[in-house]
Amino acid sequence: MKQPTILDVAERAGVSKSLVSLVMREPERVSDASREAVLQAAAELGYRPNAVARSLVRRRTGVIGVVLSDLHNPFFADVADGIEEAAFERGYRAMLSSGFLNPKRERGAVETMLELRVDGLIMLGSMMKVPKIERVASSLPVALLGRHTRSKDLDSVGVDDSAGAQEAVEHLVSLGHSEIVHIHAGSAAGSPRRRSGYEKAMRRHGLEPRLVKGAFTESGGAKAMQEILDSGNLPTAVFAPNDFAALGAMEVIDAAGLDIPGDISLVGYDNLALAGLPRISLTTIGQPRADLGREAVHLVLERLDGDRKSARHVVVPPNLVVRNTSGPPRS
Amino acid sequence: MKQPTILDVAERAGVSKSLVSLVMREPERVSDASREAVLQAAAELGYRPNAVARSLVRRRTGVIGVVLSDLHNPFFADVADGIEEAAFERGYRAMLSSGFLNPKRERGAVETMLELRVDGLIMLGSMMKVPKIERVASSLPVALLGRHTRSKDLDSVGVDDSAGAQEAVEHLVSLGHSEIVHIHAGSAAGSPRRRSGYEKAMRRHGLEPRLVKGAFTESGGAKAMQEILDSGNLPTAVFAPNDFAALGAMEVIDAAGLDIPGDISLVGYDNLALAGLPRISLTTIGQPRADLGREAVHLVLERLDGDRKSARHVVVPPNLVVRNTSGPPRS
DNA sequence: ACGAGGTCTTGGAACGTTCCATGCTTGCTG
DNA sequence: CAGCAAGCATGGAACGTTCCAAGACCTCGT
């Protein structure tokens, strides 16, 4: 059970510990004979370098911490894939931890990461307050993802939500819609920008914005949609704040016996995998998820390696994905 | 940027490093005056214990590694929640890494975990070969989840897949079905047991098992369903190996203009969140996911603390969730 | 007034690496 | 054949903790 150390290997190979260390790190700088001896001894003993000791002396762990607010959100899973991928390519490892949609637990997760001395931190859909995150950023590079900030200390990468919302509206308008309601998610991360994009595009076409408050959840979307139906003033299209909310709205519309898109068009946001299921087939706004993750890694490593000091805020454009929930308005 | 160490705190507080260490670990054993001084100095400096150094001397990291084969599988996300929860309660942290559905990359993830000297390892839906995993288990406690094994070195926790499959068949038979096809996923983790449970239950009712090979994916389910339709011999019910496959089958059935459950009943396995969506509403077999995770942590810590030596294989029962894709057979 | 016993506190040796300055061989140059 | 560079190998210090044996200081009973 006890793991062999570099000293055990050195002894068995008849060389010094320094040489073993060198073989592990830069084998080409060691003579063939020594290298073979060390490698063989290591294999025989089942030696595995102790990353803990290495991190201690190097003062680098080679680990990028990722705190994601919710493991179940497939959006984060895609982003995390991009992160792991990019980190791996650059010789780093990613270590994930969940915040369980709870700011307190998220804080705990961050604290743990700091104690473990991760080299950089990526926060996915964080629920913590910006000043708190800024304090964290004073001891290591931090990149915020899926949330906008103008902070001078924090890097961020996000999608241009306003542009995405405008695309959604443009799409509906081009189909002939003029009564387009937007369900918004209050001040939840991302919602204000989507809302302002919606309003901007509506006004550009001389249309009257109509807002209903919902949330980024299925039930939030359902509640809002019910409110719309109950108002007696049925719009020809609904633009939801995300796919989950759209799903909730879809259920309510179905239950009311209305047809999508015959009676009402529906557009979501996020392009979750489930939006592509044939029975759902939701028109929505897609985001280059894995790219977001890669970009975040990039930002962190940029600070780590080249020590850039000023914050960078990367914004990538979204794209419209047309499916079967949007069509011409009912006549 | 440079982090303060225990020595900095000691100096500022005018005490020895040992005392600072003690305050951090067992504050009650230190005099009030010293404790206050140390705590204040630590706060002023923004001191944060270095877990790397601590792990080195303790020869324990307090981290449980979790390698999951796929971050996107919501099943794993639920299990991982249970793991993080249980680990936290016991004073451990969970560290996640994805294997990207690729045995080689999974091996890399495991290797990384070992180098980081995690105290225990939980493998979710591993794609590695059992002997390889057993070799890993010789240096730390390993629990296998979502996969069965009789290994003498490995602990495992799983759902009784055979029982679940039998429940599915019983349900269909009780509705009056006798022509029930099972799409199986070959030798993929879990499939053989589901298949044998299916066969067992069929025979118990004097029915002829009919198998079609598919996979644990949407496309695998679609392909198999297409084969069933093309055979010209339409069964009255289909039992898929998991919900994704059921979804694929559902699409094909829809596309063929057949009604579910009017023309054909469909039962999945896993009870994913999407199976509960009104438009999907899939009858399926549910599993107590978070409990599986908790149980795995339990097994690992049992070995870690009490040094149990023999393997334990925990099996928990599944439960049938009836929704709208199952009904009486067409007449 | 002294020793026993208790409470707090301390210095130093680990833990398993990396990194650096230095040393030992060779072989080559002039 | 002295001198020196190149190539390889080495020992020791450092990284920031924990843990332990032992020291310092009190209090109290006799």
Side-chain angles (χ1 to χ4, degrees):
Chain A
M1 205 77 173
K2 171 126 181 0
Q3 304 261 12
T5 76
I6 206 171
L7 286 170
D8 301 320
V9 177
E11 188 181 2
R12 175 174 264 253
V15 299
S16 73
K17 62 174 181 17
S18 305
L19 222 229
V20 176
S21 171
L22 198 56
V23 170
M24 295 298 150
R25 290 174 293 121
E26 302 169 72
E28 70 284 0
R29 283 185 41 194
V30 174
S31 71
D32 293 0
S34 304
R35 185 173 347 102
E36 286 316 310
V38 167
L39 256 22
Q40 187 181 341
E44 286 168 5
L45 293 173
Y47 170 72
R48 202 175 338 253
N50 184 328
V52 174
R54 182 195 309 143
S55 301
L56 183 60
V57 36
R58 281 229 187 121
R59 250 119 25 115
R60 278 284 186 103
T61 51
V63 173
I64 294 182
V66 180
V67 173
L68 60 182
S69 60
D70 181 15
L71 214 48
H72 295 82
N73 190 327
F75 176 80
F76 293 145
D78 282 338
V79 174
D81 268 4
I83 291 176
E84 287 209 76
E85 190 86 34
F88 183 75
E89 279 166 15
R90 305 281 298 264
Y92 284 78
R93 336 183 168 299
M95 162 167 170
L96 312 184
S97 185
S98 165
F100 294 94
L101 288 175
N102 173 337
K104 206 158 175 181
R105 297 196 58 175
E106 186 180 328
R107 230 191 124 49
V110 169
E111 194 59 37
T112 295
M113 293 281 185
L114 294 178
E115 289 190 2
L116 293 173
R117 296 298 194 268
V118 296
D119 292 340
L121 198 57
I122 297 178
M123 313 211 30
L124 291 191
S126 171
M127 312 194 67
M128 282 169 61
K129 297 222 169 63
V130 167
K132 284 204 173 170
I133 303 181
E134 281 175 333
R135 222 169 311 137
V136 169
S138 69
S139 55
L140 46 36
V142 175
L144 216 53
L145 200 151
R147 190 170 152 185
H148 289 269
T149 171
R150 280 194 233 291
S151 168
K152 267 287 152 215
D153 309 322
L154 253 33
D155 293 339
S156 74
V157 32
V159 176
D160 189 338
D161 280 331
S162 171
Q166 292 181 57
E167 276 203 65
V169 173
E170 292 296 340
H171 168 62
L172 290 168
V173 168
S174 75
L175 283 170
H177 290 271
S178 56
E179 294 160 46
I180 306 170
V181 174
H182 176 46
I183 298 175
H184 71 273
S187 60
S191 180
R193 304 223 165 208
R194 293 177 192 183
R195 171 177 167 173
S196 74
Y198 157 82
E199 289 171 334
K200 197 161 159 188
M202 288 295 277
R203 286 200 227 288
R204 184 162 55 232
H205 289 284
L207 301 174
E208 187 62 30
R210 181 175 158 203
L211 295 161
V212 177
K213 163 140 193 173
F216 275 149
T217 59
E218 219 179 309
S219 61
K223 221 185 92 266
M225 190 65 223
Q226 193 58 56
E227 194 179 321
I228 295 170
L229 292 183
D230 293 347
S231 76
N233 179 1
L234 190 69
T236 62
V238 170
F239 172 39
N242 74 352
D243 287 352
F244 283 128
L247 227 47
M250 179 180 279
E251 289 159 21
V252 170
I253 297 170
D254 283 349
L258 294 171
D259 182 59
I260 304 175
D263 295 315
I264 193 164
S265 284
L266 183 62
V267 177
Y269 205 114
D270 281 348
N271 192 23
L272 300 183
L274 58 81
L277 297 176
R279 283 201 178 187
I280 309 282
S281 194
L282 181 69
T283 292
T284 186
I285 304 294
Q287 318 187 38
R289 296 191 267 265
D291 291 345
L292 289 173
R294 313 184 71 82
E295 194 57 50
V297 171
H298 205 74
L299 288 174
V300 166
L301 294 188
E302 222 174 70
R303 291 226 190 210
L304 224 41
D305 298 341
D307 54 21
R308 166 170 57 76
K309 295 298 284 178
S310 57
R312 274 189 60 197
H313 300 282
V314 175
V315 174
V316 307
N319 58 297
L320 175 71
V321 181
V322 178
R323 295 207 183 85
N324 300 330
T325 58
S326 57
R330 60 183 183 278
S331 43
Chain B
M1 205 74 174
K2 169 118 180 9
Q3 304 260 14
T5 75
I6 205 171
L7 286 170
D8 301 320
V9 177
E11 188 180 2
R12 176 174 264 253
V15 299
S16 74
K17 63 173 180 17
S18 305
L19 223 227
V20 176
S21 171
L22 197 56
V23 171
M24 294 299 150
R25 291 174 293 121
E26 302 169 72
E28 70 283 359
R29 282 185 42 193
V30 175
S31 70
D32 292 359
S34 303
R35 186 174 347 102
E36 284 317 310
V38 167
L39 255 22
Q40 186 181 343
E44 285 168 5
L45 292 172
Y47 170 72
R48 199 168 349 243
N50 184 327
V52 174
R54 182 196 308 143
S55 301
L56 183 60
V57 36
R58 282 230 187 121
R59 247 113 33 106
R60 278 282 187 106
T61 51
V63 173
I64 293 182
V66 180
V67 174
L68 60 183
S69 60
D70 181 15
L71 214 49
H72 295 82
N73 190 326
F75 176 81
F76 293 145
D78 282 338
V79 174
D81 269 4
I83 290 175
E84 288 210 76
E85 190 87 36
F88 183 76
E89 279 166 13
R90 305 281 299 264
Y92 284 78
R93 337 182 168 301
M95 163 167 169
L96 311 186
S97 185
S98 165
F100 294 95
L101 287 175
N102 173 338
K104 205 158 173 178
R105 297 195 57 175
E106 186 181 327
R107 230 190 124 49
V110 169
E111 195 58 37
T112 295
M113 294 281 186
L114 293 178
E115 289 190 3
L116 293 173
R117 296 294 194 268
V118 296
D119 292 340
L121 197 58
I122 297 178
M123 313 210 31
L124 290 192
S126 171
M127 314 195 66
M128 281 169 62
K129 297 222 168 63
V130 167
K132 285 204 172 171
I133 303 180
E134 281 175 332
R135 223 170 309 137
V136 170
S138 68
S139 55
L140 45 36
V142 175
L144 216 54
L145 199 151
R147 189 170 153 185
H148 289 269
T149 172
R150 280 195 235 291
S151 169
K152 266 289 152 213
D153 309 322
L154 254 33
D155 294 338
S156 75
V157 33
V159 177
D160 189 340
D161 280 331
S162 171
Q166 292 182 55
E167 276 203 65
V169 173
E170 293 296 339
H171 168 63
L172 290 168
V173 168
S174 75
L175 285 169
H177 291 270
S178 56
E179 294 160 46
I180 307 169
V181 173
H182 176 45
I183 298 176
H184 71 273
S187 60
S191 180
R193 305 226 162 206
R194 292 176 191 183
R195 171 177 166 173
S196 74
Y198 158 81
E199 289 171 333
K200 198 160 158 188
M202 289 295 277
R203 287 200 224 288
R204 184 162 56 232
H205 289 283
L207 301 173
E208 189 60 31
R210 180 173 159 203
L211 295 162
V212 177
K213 163 137 192 174
F216 275 150
T217 59
E218 218 178 310
S219 61
K223 220 186 93 266
M225 191 64 222
Q226 193 58 56
E227 195 180 321
I228 294 171
L229 292 182
D230 293 347
S231 75
N233 179 0
L234 191 70
T236 61
V238 170
F239 171 40
N242 74 351
D243 287 351
F244 284 129
L247 228 47
M250 180 180 278
E251 289 158 20
V252 170
I253 297 170
D254 283 350
L258 294 171
D259 182 60
I260 302 176
D263 296 314
I264 193 163
S265 285
L266 183 61
V267 177
Y269 204 114
D270 282 348
N271 192 24
L272 300 183
L274 58 81
L277 298 176
R279 283 203 178 186
I280 308 282
S281 194
L282 181 68
T283 293
T284 186
I285 304 293
Q287 319 187 39
R289 296 189 266 264
D291 291 345
L292 289 174
R294 312 184 71 82
E295 195 56 51
V297 171
H298 206 73
L299 287 174
V300 165
L301 295 187
E302 223 175 69
R303 291 226 191 212
L304 224 42
D305 299 340
D307 54 20
R308 167 170 55 77
K309 296 297 284 177
S310 57
R312 274 189 60 196
H313 301 283
V314 175
V315 174
V316 308
N319 59 298
L320 175 72
V321 181
V322 178
R323 295 206 183 85
N324 299 332
T325 59
S326 57
R330 63 181 180 280
S331 41

